[in-house]
Amino acid sequence: DSQGMAVSMTSSIEDGFGSRLMVNGYLLNNELTDFSFTSVDAAGVPVANRVEPGKRPRSSMSPLLVFDKKSKRLTMSLGSPGGSAIINYVGKTLLGTQDWGLNLQQAINLPNFGSRNGPTELELGRTPQFVVDALRARGHEVVLNEQTSGLQGVERNAQGWFGAADPRREGTAKGE
């Protein structure tokens, strides 16, 4: 803003209606699914990520602020919902803007892709078939699935600030 403040947001309540509980008009999240479902392993050793008072759930939230190295000014703010795929969504968009020369909206529009320590995941309906074939030819286990990222952000360009919103969800970028 005019005072140099910025925000990057990851909005996640774990499911379409979170915990299914509402308080004062707000849906409560259901981050308990980010804990281990067992408290001890097969050897009886306590699991580090067990549910326990005072603990925080593991989360893939990765709100991002990008600054210009020379001027130290903010150049981009980016975030997304999406559970454990958030890091893939934000990483894809960062690569698109910083390494591939795309503006923020073009980078958000790219097909989502990534891996979460398993098969290569590609976005169903947006990934070109030649990419799927090339990865499989190189030995990748490829899974095509829906990936409704919900990325949103702002980027500074020569004309000022440029807003962008993911076409996969209902958001739009507006403002001056």
Side-chain angles (χ1 to χ4, degrees), residues 14 29-39 47-59:
E14 196 60 31
N29 73 30
N30 185 22
E31 296 298 325
L32 282 174
T33 60
D34 286 345
F35 287 106
S36 172
F37 290 113
T38 59
S39 58
V47 174
N49 198 38
R50 67 192 176 277
V51 174
E52 196 172 68
K55 284 190 156 184
R56 291 182 179 209
R58 66 176 171 84
S59 179

Side-chain angles (χ1 to χ4, degrees), residues 65-139:
L65 298 173
V66 177
F67 294 86
D68 180 75
K69 190 173 184 177
K70 291 180 183 176
S71 72
K72 309 288 190 235
R73 288 177 28 156
L74 180 72
T75 60
M76 186 171 61
S77 171
L78 176 67
S80 179
S84 62
I86 291 171
I87 295 168
N88 292 342
Y89 301 152
V90 170
K92 168 209 67 169
T93 307
L94 186 63
L95 282 171
T97 58
Q98 304 302 298
D99 292 343
W100 301 336
L102 302 175
N103 71 40
L104 185 56
Q105 188 64 62
Q106 291 168 327
I108 287 173
N109 292 350
L110 289 171
N112 289 313
F113 59 89
S115 176
R116 293 176 278 181
N117 295 322
T120 300
E121 297 176 51
L122 303 175
E123 187 173 7
L124 180 67
R126 289 183 175 256
T127 305
Q129 188 61 44
F130 75 89
V131 173
V132 176
D133 295 341
L135 287 168
R136 285 184 173 148
R138 289 178 172 82

Side-chain angles (χ1 to χ4, degrees), residues 10 15 17 19 22 24 29 31 42 44 58 65 80-81 89 91 117 130-131 133 141 149 153 157 159-160 162 168:
T10 296
D15 195 6
F17 291 97
S19 65
M22 187 174 279
N24 294 327
N29 73 30
E31 296 298 325
R58 66 176 171 84
L65 298 173
S80 179
Y89 301 152
N117 295 322
F130 75 89
V131 173
D133 295 341
E141 179 188 348
S149 48
N157 62 27
Q159 292 78 40
F162 174 79
R168 295 165 187 87

